[in-house]
Amino acid sequence: MTITEKILAFHSGQKEVKPGQFILADVDIALGNDITAPLAIQEIEKLGKEALPYPEKVVLVADHFTPNKDKESANQCLKLKNFAKKFNVKNFFELGCGGIEHALLPEEGFIIPGQLIIGADSHTCSYGALGAFATGVGSTDLAFAMLSGKIWLKVPESIKFIYNGKLNNWVTSKDLILYTIGDIGVDGADYKAMEFEGEAIRKLSIDARLTMCNMAIEAGGKSGIIAPDEITIEYINQLPITNYQLPILKSDKDAKYAKTIEYDVSEIEPQVAFPHLPSNTKSVSQAGNIELDQVVIGSCTNGRLEDLRIAAEILKGKKVHPYTRTIIIPATQKIYLKALKEGLLEIFINAGAVVSPPTCGPCIGGHMGVLAKGEKCLATTNRNFVGRMGDSQSEVYLASPAVAAASAVKGKITHPEEIISG
Amino acid sequence: MIIKGKIHKFGDNINTDEIIPAPYLVTTDIKELGKHCMYGIDSSFITKVRESDIIVAGRNFGCGSSREHAPLAIQGCGVALVIAQSFARIFYRNCVNVGLPILISDEIYKSIKPDDVLEADLSKGEIKNITQNKIFQVSAFPSLLQEIIEAGGLMKWYLLNKFET
Ligand code: SF4
C-alpha cells in the first residue's frame, strides 16, 4: 500500500483499502473558516443540536476577511465565535490569536504524521507536508464531520513525483510545485494523491514542504503528501504538544501508483505562472518585460518565516519601485512576532513595503490590496484565476518570495540574481 | 426524477471564482447567492437562466476553492442539473452533499448546441436531447453516493444513520 492507503485503511478500521473504494473514515481534525464554517454551523443548527461529540477535534479560524472588512464579514466571524462558545470549541482562533489557517494548524501542533485531517478549505492539502492525509472538503462535509467524527472518502490512486538532483540558486519548493503543475496541468492529478519524493524533497524544511503540498489542489490533487522523516520529527518535537505517537509511515516497495514522474531539479529555474491558470508557467528568465503595479508576499502558500527571510535578504537596503505597491503579510501572529524580533519587518518598512496583519486578504481579492481594472500583480499566493485579486480585468502572476521581492525592487518580473549580484 | 430544461454551455476549467466570485461569499442565503451565479464568466447569465435549466460544461468543472457556495449559487438561480466532461473533486462532493444532481458525459458535451433542450431521467441514467432527438446513457453513481443522494443530501443521510455519538 501507499502511505495514503495505509492512513486511510487505519482510519476506516480495515487491514487494506484499494483505490476507488468508498470508505467512511474517522477524522482527527476538522477545520472550518469564516467563509465555510457558517454554512456548516447553519446545518448543525437546523438539526437543533445542543452539543458536539468531539469538540476538541474541531478547529475554527477567522482568517479570510479579517480584520472584518465589512458588516457582512463581521457577521460571519460572529457566527464562528457564538458557535465556539455554545458548543465548547476551544480551538477557535479569533483575530489576534491566530492567522491564516494552513500556516496556523501545523504551528499549533494540530497536525501529526499519520493523521486524517479534513478542512472546509481547498488548501487543507497543505498538511500532507507532515505526513498526514489531509484534504479539502465542503461545508456540509464539515458539518457531518463535526457531528459524527467521520467523512466519506473515495480512496485515491497515487501519483509518485520524484525530484532528483540539487536545487539551483534561488530555486525553492514554490518553483518545484509551479513547474510540476505547468508540466501536468490543472487537472493533471485530478482526484489523486500526489506523493512527493526524492533527494531534493528530503532536504526541504517543513515550511518549504508546506508550500509544495499546499498547491497539490492546483493540479486537481485530492492531497499532497511527503513521508515523515527526521526533519518532520524534529519539527513535531519542538511543538508544545504531548501525548502523541509518531508512526513510522512510508509507502511499501510494491505499492501501486497511477504513474511515476521524475524530474531533475537542476534543470529547473525560478518559475512564474502567468494569468490565468497556475499551470501557465514559464521560467522567470523567459517572462519578458512585465511591469507590475503590486507585489504581494504572503498567504498560506508563502507567508511563513522562511519566506519572509528570503524576501528580507533581497529587500535589505533596497527600495521597492515607486510604482509597485508591495504588501507583505506574515501568515500568523507567531510568524509576525518572530519576523519582528529578527528585524525583518524593519527591512520591509525601510524598503517601502507595507506590512499587513495576518489575513488571507488580497489572496482572495477580499481586502488589503485589491486590484484595479488593468492592474498587474505578482504574488506568492496559489491562484491566478480571472478576478482572483480584484477587478476581472486585472492580472495575477504567481512566483516564489525571492522572485516577488526582486520584482518589487525592479517594478517588473525579475530574477533574484539581478538584484543580489547586480 | 425527471429534469427538463434548456442548456447553457460552458468550456473547460470553469472555476469556483467564476461560478460565484469571492466578494459575494458574505452570505449563505441560496437565493442571494443565485443572483450572482456565473458572474465571474458571464455577467448576463442570470438574466438568461430559467428554473429547471441545465448547465453543460467541459473538463474540470468547479475547480478552485472548496466553497459550497458554488453549487448553492447554481441551485439558487434555478439550475436543476449540471452535466460535464469531468468535475473537480471538491465540487463533485459538494454537489452530492447538497443534493444538486450532476452527471458526467463526454458525448453530451460534444454534441450539444446552444439552446438545446434536454430531458434527464436520473434514476435510469437516460438523457434525451429533445431538440436533436438523440438519447444518451450515463453511468450510475457508486452505491454509497447513491444512498446519500437518495436521502436528499449528506445531512439527511446523517439523520437516517446511527453514528456512535
Ligand atoms: S491565503 Fe488564500 S489560498 Fe490560503 S486559505 Fe487564505 S484565501 Fe485560501
Side-chain angles (χ1 to χ4, degrees):
Chain A
M1 286 191 287
T2 63
I3 177 172
T4 301
E5 290 155 14
K6 285 184 188 178
I7 297 172
L8 295 180
F10 178 79
H11 283 81
S12 58
Q14 304 179 65
K15 275 220 181 71
E16 207 182 24
V17 294
K18 293 215 154 52
Q21 189 181 336
F22 282 83
I23 58 169
L24 202 57
D26 291 329
V27 168
D28 292 306
I29 293 288
L31 160 76
N33 60 44
D34 50 325
I35 293 185
T36 58
L39 272 175
I41 291 169
Q42 196 173 301
E43 291 298 328
I44 291 173
E45 282 174 348
K46 260 197 251 162
L47 299 184
K49 293 282 170 187
E50 294 291 329
L52 298 181
Y54 318 100
E56 70 288 352
K57 292 188 177 188
V58 178
V59 182
L60 298 172
V61 186
D63 59 356
H64 276 64
F65 294 140
T66 55
N68 301 335
K69 82 175 174 94
D70 51 22
K71 279 184 289 188
E72 287 78 15
S73 53
N75 209 5
Q76 301 273 91
C77 289
L78 183 61
K79 282 185 195 158
L80 251 61
K81 179 156 94 182
N82 288 342
F83 178 80
K85 279 192 200 159
K86 180 170 167 200
F87 288 85
N88 199 24
V89 175
K90 297 267 172 11
N91 305 318
F92 163 57
F93 293 90
E94 173 64 288
L95 180 75
C97 33
I100 303 176
E101 53 205 47
H102 308 308
L104 183 71
L105 268 66
E107 182 186 87
E108 292 291 329
F110 288 113
I111 317 296
I112 291 173
Q115 280 189 337
L116 193 154
I117 322 284
I118 60 117
D121 188 276
S122 59
H123 294 100
T124 301
C125 54
S126 307
Y127 314 133
L130 290 160
F133 174 85
T135 192
V137 298
S139 296
T140 305
D141 285 308
L142 173 63
F144 179 79
M146 288 201 273
L147 291 173
S148 68
K150 293 184 191 300
I151 183 88
W152 67 265
L153 290 170
K154 179 171 156 188
V155 178
E157 285 186 293
S158 296
I159 304 180
K160 190 196 269 196
F161 293 86
I162 306 174
Y163 298 83
N164 299 312
K166 245 186 89 201
L167 292 176
N168 288 313
N169 253 350
W170 302 111
V171 173
T172 64
S173 63
K174 179 61 163 286
D175 303 295
L176 296 185
I177 191 67
L178 284 175
Y179 184 88
T180 306
I181 298 165
D183 181 40
I184 65 172
V186 286
D187 59 355
D190 212 5
Y191 290 83
K192 308 225 173 32
M194 300 172 81
E195 192 175 320
F196 302 116
E197 241 308 345
E199 190 190 340
I201 300 296
R202 289 289 145 229
K203 294 207 181 103
L204 296 176
S205 67
I206 294 296
D207 278 9
R209 293 179 187 187
L210 283 160
T211 302
M212 221 142 164
C213 292
N214 175 271
M215 288 191 74
I217 176 77
E218 260 43 78
K222 179 171 201 148
S223 57
I225 195 159
I226 296 173
D229 57 13
E230 304 76 56
I231 292 180
T232 324
I233 292 167
E234 200 180 303
Y235 180 88
I236 300 281
N237 284 342
Q238 50 90 37
L239 294 171
I241 43 173
T242 48
N243 266 338
Y244 59 89
Q245 252 192 323
L246 285 181
I248 308 296
L249 267 178
K250 55 181 183 209
S251 296
D252 293 329
K253 287 226 164 56
D254 61 351
K256 296 210 169 44
Y257 291 89
K259 53 180 152 182
T260 299
I261 298 175
E262 283 196 59
Y263 298 111
D264 176 356
V265 302
S266 65
E267 287 171 5
I268 299 176
E269 281 184 61
Q271 300 286 304
V272 56
F274 273 54
H276 291 286
L277 283 178
S279 57
N280 207 0
T281 53
K282 290 183 189 177
S283 293
V284 168
S285 54
Q286 240 91 85
N289 187 31
I290 309 282
E291 290 182 12
L292 300 167
D293 301 285
Q294 178 165 300
V295 164
V296 174
I297 299 175
S299 86
C300 61
T301 318
N302 280 123
R304 281 173 281 271
L305 195 60
E306 187 173 295
D307 303 312
L308 301 183
R309 284 184 184 144
I310 296 175
E313 188 183 334
I314 291 173
L315 290 173
K316 190 164 188 181
K318 310 254 178 359
K319 287 272 180 230
V320 306
H321 191 277
Y323 293 151
T324 309
R325 305 182 295 269
T326 301
I327 302 165
I328 301 183
I329 311 175
T332 66
Q333 289 285 95
K334 281 191 180 150
I335 295 168
Y336 200 120
L337 188 59
K338 283 185 192 152
L340 175 77
K341 286 188 177 156
E342 286 187 18
L344 309 183
L345 302 190
E346 199 175 327
I347 294 173
F348 298 147
I349 293 168
N350 283 335
V354 71
V355 181
S356 143
T359 179
C360 292
C363 172
I364 192 177
H367 61 157
M368 310 290 255
V370 174
L371 299 175
K373 187 170 174 178
E375 283 195 315
K376 291 183 174 31
C377 172
L378 184 135
T380 65
T381 54
N382 47 40
R383 288 199 173 127
N384 55 353
F385 299 154
V386 175
R388 173 77 178 180
M389 202 175 273
D391 193 276
S392 61
Q393 287 180 47
S394 59
E395 292 185 346
V396 179
Y397 297 75
L398 306 174
S400 71
V403 173
S407 304
V409 173
K410 288 269 177 161
K412 58 180 183 145
I413 297 181
T414 302
H415 195 296
E417 227 155 51
E418 284 185 47
I419 301 294
I420 289 293
S421 61
Chain B
M1 191 178 175
I2 311 260
I3 293 163
K4 185 175 167 188
K6 203 175 74 167
I7 71 105
H8 301 267
K9 191 169 179 177
F10 293 91
D12 291 341
N13 298 320
I14 300 298
N15 65 64
T16 51
D17 282 82
E18 288 169 324
I19 298 171
I20 179 84
Y24 305 119
L25 298 181
V26 290
T27 174
T28 53
D29 182 278
I30 115 159
K31 285 284 164 227
E32 198 51 44
L33 289 168
K35 286 184 197 158
H36 310 289
C37 186
M38 297 317 231
Y39 192 82
I41 182 158
D42 175 6
S43 55
S44 66
F45 174 76
I46 197 69
T47 62
K48 297 178 279 192
V49 67
R50 300 274 172 277
E51 202 61 37
S52 182
D53 276 1
I54 296 171
I55 287 178
V56 178
R59 282 168 51 194
N60 203 25
F61 187 80
C63 62
S65 82
S66 68
R67 63 188 70 154
E68 209 156 299
H69 308 70
L72 291 177
I74 292 175
Q75 277 180 326
C77 73
V79 169
L81 171 67
V82 183
I83 304 174
Q85 284 180 296
S86 67
F87 289 94
R89 189 188 67 80
I90 303 178
F91 183 84
Y92 181 95
R93 63 182 301 130
N94 284 344
C95 289
V96 170
N97 290 346
V98 305
L100 170 65
I102 45 175
L103 295 172
I104 297 171
S105 172
D106 241 0
E107 293 164 295
I108 296 178
Y109 176 74
K110 286 184 180 147
S111 64
I112 206 87
K113 302 245 160 40
D115 295 335
D116 278 2
V117 173
L118 297 186
E119 190 177 275
D121 184 332
L122 296 182
S123 41
K124 287 200 207 143
E126 194 179 278
I127 320 288
K128 262 189 231 147
N129 186 326
I130 304 212
T131 318
Q132 299 183 20
N133 197 20
K134 278 188 202 153
I135 294 186
F136 302 90
Q137 201 66 42
V138 296
S139 54
F141 275 113
S143 60
L144 176 67
L145 302 197
Q146 189 65 42
E147 223 182 88
I148 296 172
I149 291 168
E150 271 166 20
L154 189 63
M155 294 320 281
K156 302 224 171 85
W157 186 70
Y158 166 79
L159 292 175
L160 293 177
N161 286 274
K162 298 242 177 309
F163 293 96
E164 75 253 49
T165 59

